[in-house]
Amino acid sequence: TGVQTCALPIWFTLRQQFSNDLTAIAKAVPELAEWATARLDGSTHGHRIPVDLAAALLESVDSLNIIGVELVAPERLVRKSPSTRAIVTPLPSGGQGVTGRLAAGALVAWQPTIDNTPITEEQLAKAALQGATLIQVGGRWVQVDRAEAKRALANLHTQRQREVVSPLELLKLAAELEAELAAQQARSGIAGIDDIPAPTDADAFGQLIQGEGWAADLLAGLPDSNLHEGVEPEGFRATLRPYQRRGLGWLQFLRTLGLGGCLADDMGLGKTPTTLAHLAGQPGPHLVVCPLSVVRNWEAEAERFAPNMRVMVHHGTGRLDHPEFVAATAAHELVITTYQIAARDLDAMQQVRWSTVVLDEAQAVKNPDTATSRAMRSIYAEQHIALTGTPIENRLSELWSIFNIVTPGLLGNAAQFRKQFALPIERHHDPAATASLRTLTAPFLLRRTKADKSLVPDLPDKIEQVAWATLTREQVQMYQAAVDHLLHDAQATSGMKRRGIVLAALTRLKQICNHPAHALADGSKLAGRSGKLHRFDELVTDLLDAGEQALVFTQF
């Protein structure tokens, strides 16, 4: 009885509160005034409302909070930003609309999406133009911001102007999308530790652009683990290691698209035989430009691995003049020259339609303003290949200089590269610029190191051993005389002049330790006068007796 007595007043109180809330809702959200009035009769316990009214409710959360009304929405009713996904399909060879050496191109289809789920352009237009901000996507309702829908629609119309792209244009497009994604992640607080840019989320990037065939390979960055192994051409007298075959397959793949690349494997991993296997499988003539110190090495390696290739060395005072040189290249598959001679005989080099130009020790062209770099950029070839173990030593401009030869146009001109990549990355560690540069360059830069034991499992660890050498009597006397002379001169001078005397003396002491004939510069005999040379002879003799080979580095 007590319960029945108090139940009626409570019901009236709740009824009055409900009525007051509906009235307040009608005032706070005018779009719901008619719906709120109809609810006052209490004839139904629930009511379906149109999508536009549901959108009005979602957009009026703050207004409802002010009047003390909490909006409880379905847990899966979430706010999502629409985006545009590119689906790239390679065109048949020789497809229309693409200019380039081999006319490789791809067709780009643009698909509007929300949360990686395709939607129709009509749905996006309705959200953008008619104010409907709730879209049913994948069996659930998703809230879309009107301004973002308009932006996505405008972006879709803009992107659809790029229906056919070349390989380089495809990568530029991918770089734009990845930079945008990286910027969004950075704004969301997704960054690397200690200001080191974190790689862009691969899954998220895959939602923005997807490819088939060679387009998918390029977009993946051609990682070494995914490369297909190439096959050594007939007549090539060597069996390449698996990682070298992957490098060969990489060079062959790039060539089919009319593109070049930078093979940046560590010294000792066999860049030369890998490159020779590639050249031996392609029609010539090929041009190898290298420092003078490795000209004979290229000649010997070509004779060893590809004896069927006709090789010509273009160097020295007795080299062919321009007309004879151009005629001789037609009778040879491989021409080897130096950077100095290639720049000096540039007119002759430009008259030949080279199949491949290989730049060995490509650090020679890291400064884009030198005459050598300008000359290499002006030599035409169907494919340019750079070989270097250090694609970047000091500044990103070195990378640009190399890429401006092997893939001209990919990174823009020098000023554009500096503004878009070099300054943001080197000064500000910009994750968006880093992601964009990585996307652009990854397919064309193949670098493996000796630290990766999976490449050469039987490669021994580096062992450093000091071999001491004793000075001869002549060296001791010359050394002491140089020290005494230094002490005398240093006491009589000061300032910068004194520093110059010390530096000159240090250089002379090194020359004396190397060999007396070096310090005297008199062309005198070598045998028996240098402890260093004697010790070196002993080491080399031991190597030769064991059938080993050696690569010697020396300051002098």
Side-chain angles (χ1 to χ4, degrees):
T1 302
V3 173
Q4 292 176 348
T5 301
C6 65
L8 188 60
I10 292 176
W11 182 86
F12 276 112
T13 300
L14 292 175
R15 172 76 177 179
Q16 185 62 42
Q17 181 64 46
F18 180 64
S19 176
N20 294 340
D21 287 344
L22 287 176
T23 303
I25 290 173
K27 292 179 179 180
V29 188
E31 296 91 340
L32 297 178
E34 182 178 351
W35 171 83
T37 302
R39 304 285 66 75
L40 289 174
D41 60 10
S43 59
T44 60
H45 298 288
H47 183 71
R48 290 184 176 273
I49 60 176
V51 171
D52 56 345
L53 291 186
L57 270 173
L58 292 172
E59 293 178 355
S60 304
V61 172
D62 293 337
S63 299
L64 293 174
N65 285 337
I66 292 175
I67 63 173
V69 176
E70 179 184 359
L71 177 65
V72 181
E75 183 179 354
R76 299 192 67 186
L77 183 59
V78 292
R79 181 183 291 270
K80 290 290 183 179
S81 299
S83 60
T84 306
R85 177 169 60 194
I87 302 174
V88 187
T89 306
L91 290 170
S93 178
Q96 299 297 318
V98 177
T99 59
R101 285 171 290 193
L102 298 183
L107 182 66
V108 184
W110 297 94
Q111 171 70 59
T113 65
I114 292 181
D115 199 23
N116 199 32
T117 301
I119 62 172
T120 65
E121 185 176 353
E122 290 73 19
Q123 287 177 295
L124 185 60
K126 186 176 180 180
L129 305 178
Q130 298 180 12
T133 59
L134 282 179
I135 298 179
Q136 192 168 28
V137 177
R140 60 173 175 164
W141 288 99
V142 174
Q143 183 184 8
V144 180
D145 182 80
R146 295 179 182 179
E148 292 183 352
K150 290 181 180 180
R151 177 194 56 77
L153 186 65
N155 182 59
L156 178 64
H157 292 162
T158 300
Q159 297 287 25
R160 280 183 173 169
Q161 297 177 10
R162 294 192 280 188
E163 293 183 346
V164 178
V165 295
S166 68
L168 293 188
E169 291 170 338
L170 171 61
L171 288 172
K172 289 182 179 180
L173 170 62
E176 293 173 10
L177 296 175
E178 186 160 10
E180 180 180 350
L181 177 61
Q184 292 175 355
Q185 292 179 339
R187 288 192 296 269
S188 301
I190 304 174
I193 300 176
D194 298 330
D195 296 328
I196 299 174
T200 304
D201 188 297
D203 293 335
F205 178 59
Q207 297 171 12
L208 297 178
I209 185 166
Q210 298 175 355
E212 301 174 2
W214 61 257
D217 293 334
L218 275 184
L219 291 172
L222 301 180
D224 179 47
S225 58
N226 292 352
L227 291 175
H228 299 292
E229 292 187 5
V231 178
E232 299 91 334
E234 185 177 352
F236 188 78
R237 295 185 179 178
T239 301
L240 299 179
R241 293 178 179 270
Y243 74 89
Q244 291 175 312
R245 290 199 205 98
R246 293 197 299 273
L248 174 60
W250 175 72
L251 291 172
Q252 293 170 341
F253 171 78
L254 292 179
R255 187 180 183 88
T256 63
L257 301 180
L259 301 171
C262 178
L263 182 56
D265 288 347
D266 268 355
M267 180 188 298
L269 292 182
K271 294 188 290 292
T272 301
T274 300
T275 305
L276 282 171
H278 177 60
L279 299 181
Q282 307 294 335
H286 309 292
L287 175 66
V288 171
V289 187
C290 60
L292 177 60
S293 58
V294 295
V295 167
R296 296 306 172 191
N297 179 68
W298 269 97
E299 187 179 21
E301 295 286 88
E303 182 179 356
R304 175 185 177 187
F305 296 119
N308 295 331
M309 293 183 70
R310 292 168 294 177
V311 180
M312 179 178 75
V313 174
H314 182 67
H315 186 265
T317 56
R319 65 184 185 276
L320 300 176
D321 59 18
H322 291 191
E324 294 176 341
F325 172 78
V326 173
T329 58
H332 295 84
E333 285 81 26
L334 181 62
V335 177
I336 305 171
T337 189
T338 66
Y339 285 102
Q340 292 79 7
I341 296 300
R344 189 175 302 171
D345 296 350
L346 183 58
D347 291 341
M349 299 293 166
Q350 292 175 329
Q351 293 177 24
V352 180
R353 190 175 182 85
W354 300 105
S355 174
T356 313
V357 169
V358 178
L359 305 181
D360 191 16
E361 303 289 348
Q363 56 267 27
V365 297
K366 283 184 177 180
N367 185 344
D369 299 322
T370 62
T372 299
S373 294
R374 290 194 294 270
M376 296 306 102
R377 290 197 294 268
S378 67
I379 300 177
Y380 172 86
E382 293 182 11
Q383 185 181 36
H384 286 82
I385 300 171
L387 306 179
T388 176
T390 54
I392 304 176
E393 286 185 304
N394 299 306
R395 296 173 298 277
L396 283 176
S397 60
E398 298 173 348
L399 183 70
W400 177 86
S401 185
I402 293 176
F403 269 71
N404 200 37
I405 297 175
V406 299
T407 53
L410 176 69
L411 300 179
N413 60 39
Q416 291 170 335
F417 179 81
R418 178 174 175 80
K419 179 180 179 180
Q420 185 176 358
F421 297 110
L423 290 179
I425 294 174
E426 292 177 346
R427 290 188 181 180
H428 309 298
H429 305 287
D430 187 335
T434 302
S436 179
L437 182 60
R438 182 188 301 112
T439 298
L440 284 171
T441 59
F444 310 109
L445 181 64
L446 184 60
R447 175 160 177 75
R448 282 81 62 92
T449 68
K450 295 182 202 175
D452 186 354
K453 295 300 183 182
S454 66
L455 298 182
V456 190
D458 55 345
L459 187 67
D461 293 331
K462 180 174 70 173
I463 300 175
E464 295 186 4
Q465 182 177 351
V466 178
W468 297 99
T470 302
L471 298 179
T472 62
R473 181 182 297 274
E474 181 184 9
Q475 285 177 299
V476 170
Q477 293 174 348
M478 292 179 65
Y479 195 100
Q480 186 62 53
V483 171
D484 294 341
H485 187 69
L486 167 63
L487 294 176
H488 177 269
D489 291 347
Q491 291 176 354
T493 58
S494 61
M496 293 300 298
K497 186 176 181 180
R498 182 176 183 177
R499 293 183 181 182
I501 291 175
V502 172
L503 290 175
L506 290 175
T507 300
R508 180 164 179 80
L509 292 175
K510 290 181 180 180
Q511 292 173 336
I512 293 171
C513 291
N514 188 47
H515 197 289
H518 185 192
L520 297 172
D522 58 356
S524 54
K525 69 172 186 175
L526 301 179
R529 301 174 63 195
S530 168
K532 177 181 177 182
L533 183 59
H534 176 72
R535 187 72 182 99
F536 176 75
D537 285 340
E538 292 178 340
L539 294 173
V540 173
T541 299
D542 292 341
L543 288 172
L544 294 177
D545 289 344
E548 300 290 345
Q549 301 182 47
L551 183 61
V552 180
F553 296 89
T554 178
Q555 182 180 359
F556 302 113

